[in-house]
Amino acid sequence: MKSIYTALSLLLLSTGASAKDYDYSDYINAAEPTEEGSILLLGDSWAAIAGDYAANICGLSNSRLVTNDAKSGTTAAQWAEGETAVGSMEKAEYDYEYVWLSLGGNDFLDNKCDIDISEEVAANIVTVIGHIVDNSPNEDIKILYFGYSVPSDDVCCNGITAQLFEEQGAIIFDAIKASAYADYVTTFDISEMFVKWGNGGLSDSYYYYDEIHLNQMGYLHLFSSYKVQRFFGCSAAQTIELKGISAVVEGKDNPAHLAGTVITTLLGLVMGVIGLVLAVNFIKRKLAMRNSSAKVDLLEPDEKAETGDYVVVKEEKAVMA
């Protein structure tokens, strides 16, 4: 409950005339980290830059131990051929519960967005995943791979950047799902997460510090998404807290976005409550029907009376002889 109050108080502060100029860095490492839920970051610059923010991926109340072994500018080919992930696992400080792997973007860009190399890139990523799983001290290691969001500029030229990024991502996702390591990996597509309407399918530059890389607002928006929160085992209260912080920080520059975030979050909560109530009522009804059926004796059709959804037995009063 404390985290919910924190999020709500931040939301209220953000709407006031004298609201503090919040910055995401204000919240980094606000709690003592614990080894439970520890995270290892591997891959390229997308993961390397995120290292400062990943510790508080589940909000203020839970700081994770994070080891950032990602290396900017590296490719899936380099990680696969050099067995870089093997070295990362062998020197592991903890029995990491989670690994976020970010690879494939540099391979694609270095080859001028040639979609024909996607299968080779996918195979190298699967090889790296195998290196992680086979060398992890934790048999239940969980790996996250969601690829990349579409750039904020037409880096592939000819107006087909969005299409090519989405196609490459789909090929990589399919290869992971078809591999022997599929059970260890959670995949989902974030290619359109930051896409701005009317921008030719490209992402909103508000969330980027250049055409490829997210800024701190981008990472906060990414980390507060429900699928990322679910993967890292964040509770509903922690998700609400991080979304509250996201709304505060983004709201100072974009009040309309703040209002939209608040409304969306509240609608999500309302729909969740409605769904829970309907589920409970459904279960109660099923149990009542089952209990009622168990009490019905085998009678002739004309000896039964139906009342609503239930069959009841006519009871005759006993008569003294």
Side-chain angles (χ1 to χ4, degrees):
M1 290 299 293
K2 181 179 178 181
S3 59
I4 296 178
Y5 294 139
T6 301
L8 291 176
S9 63
L10 289 172
L11 286 170
L12 291 172
L13 282 171
S14 69
T15 59
S18 59
K20 178 182 175 182
D21 188 21
Y22 285 99
D23 188 87
Y24 188 20
S25 58
D26 293 342
Y27 309 108
I28 295 174
N29 296 326
E32 287 297 321
T34 61
E35 185 172 347
E36 182 180 358
S38 55
I39 304 170
L40 177 62
L41 307 183
L42 299 177
D44 53 30
S45 54
W46 255 59
I49 298 170
D52 291 338
Y53 313 120
N56 295 109
I57 202 163
C58 287
L60 299 179
S61 58
N62 187 331
S63 285
R64 305 287 183 90
L65 285 171
V66 176
T67 297
N68 192 346
D69 241 9
K71 298 171 178 61
S72 297
T74 54
T75 64
Q78 291 170 338
W79 278 76
E81 294 167 7
E83 299 188 350
T84 313
V86 176
S88 295
M89 302 313 297
E90 288 178 346
K91 69 177 184 181
E93 301 176 53
Y94 317 105
D95 290 347
Y96 298 104
E97 187 172 346
Y98 302 100
V99 173
W100 172 25
L101 179 65
S102 175
L103 283 173
N106 289 321
D107 303 75
F108 192 50
L109 293 172
D110 289 349
N111 286 276
K112 300 179 180 180
C113 304
D114 183 2
I115 198 67
D116 292 335
I117 70 163
S118 296
E119 291 187 4
E120 179 184 346
V121 174
N124 284 330
I125 290 174
V126 170
T127 296
V128 175
I129 291 171
H131 291 162
I132 296 169
V133 173
D134 295 340
N135 292 276
S136 172
N138 182 359
E139 295 180 355
D140 299 318
I141 190 76
K142 302 176 182 68
I143 303 171
L144 175 63
Y145 185 88
F146 48 57
Y148 306 87
S149 57
V150 172
S152 62
D153 199 5
D154 189 17
V155 296
C156 297
C157 302
N158 302 317
I160 58 174
T161 295
Q163 176 186 338
L164 291 176
F165 264 75
E166 291 172 10
E167 287 181 8
Q168 183 201 225
I171 291 171
I172 294 173
F173 294 144
D174 288 344
I176 292 173
K177 293 174 183 176
S179 74
Y181 304 102
D183 292 341
Y184 295 93
V185 188
T186 296
T187 61
F188 49 82
D189 186 2
I190 66 163
S191 61
E192 297 183 349
M193 178 174 286
F194 302 98
V195 170
K196 183 178 181 180
W197 184 83
N199 197 33
L202 300 175
S203 292
D204 189 344
S205 60
Y206 174 75
Y207 296 101
Y208 287 70
Y209 82 77
D210 61 21
E211 65 271 13
I212 299 294
H213 300 95
L214 297 176
N215 57 25
Q216 66 174 13
M217 285 312 313
Y219 281 113
L220 180 54
H221 188 73
L222 171 63
F223 287 161
S224 63
S225 66
Y226 289 110
K227 288 183 178 180
V228 173
Q229 289 282 294
R230 189 181 305 118
F231 171 80
F232 285 105
C234 305
S235 68
Q238 290 168 338
T239 300
I240 293 171
E241 177 185 10
L242 196 62
K243 282 192 169 293
I245 295 172
S246 175
V248 168
V249 181
E250 295 187 46
K252 69 179 183 181
D253 293 328
N254 190 346
H257 177 85
L258 171 62
T261 301
V262 174
I263 292 171
T264 301
T265 302
L266 291 177
L267 285 175
L269 289 172
V270 171
M271 294 303 295
V273 171
I274 292 174
L276 180 61
V277 171
L278 291 175
V280 170
N281 287 339
F282 177 79
I283 293 172
K284 285 183 177 179
R285 184 177 178 183
K286 284 293 184 181
L287 290 174
M289 292 177 66
R290 182 178 300 173
N291 292 337
S292 177
S293 298
K295 295 178 181 178
V296 177
D297 295 327
L298 293 175
L299 301 174
E300 295 299 324
D302 59 350
E303 293 181 292
K304 296 180 180 179
E306 294 190 357
T307 315
D309 294 328
Y310 306 103
V311 178
V312 297
V313 179
K314 290 183 178 180
E315 294 184 1
E316 299 292 339
K317 290 185 179 180
V319 179
M320 294 295 291

